Amino acid sequence: MGGDKIALRSLAELLLTLSESDTPLSAHFHLEVSAGQLTPGSVNLVLDHAEWNQ
């Protein structure tokens, strides 16, 4: 996921999904450089719904 408009909207959609009350606590997303989801030189990222619900 680069810093372009499409990538930022994609990230926003993932965050909105995790913020919904009906999203299971087990829901999470892995964003990885090796999968082409992040630009080279980025750090892999895991967005985890359970971490938000404490």
Side-chain angles (χ1 to χ4, degrees):
M1 211 180 269
D4 61 18
K5 185 184 277 190
I6 293 171
L8 291 172
R9 288 179 185 264
S10 295
L11 177 59
E13 288 177 14
L14 294 176
L15 294 172
L16 285 170
T17 298
L18 292 176
S19 73
E20 296 295 331
S21 60
D22 61 346
T23 299
L25 289 178
S26 60
H28 64 281
F29 300 103
H30 292 259
L31 302 176
E32 300 180 2
V33 175
S34 63
Q37 299 161 321
L38 300 170
T39 55
S42 296
V43 181
N44 293 336
L45 177 66
V46 177
L47 303 172
D48 190 341
H49 181 61
E51 293 293 321
W52 292 12
N53 198 26
Q54 294 183 11

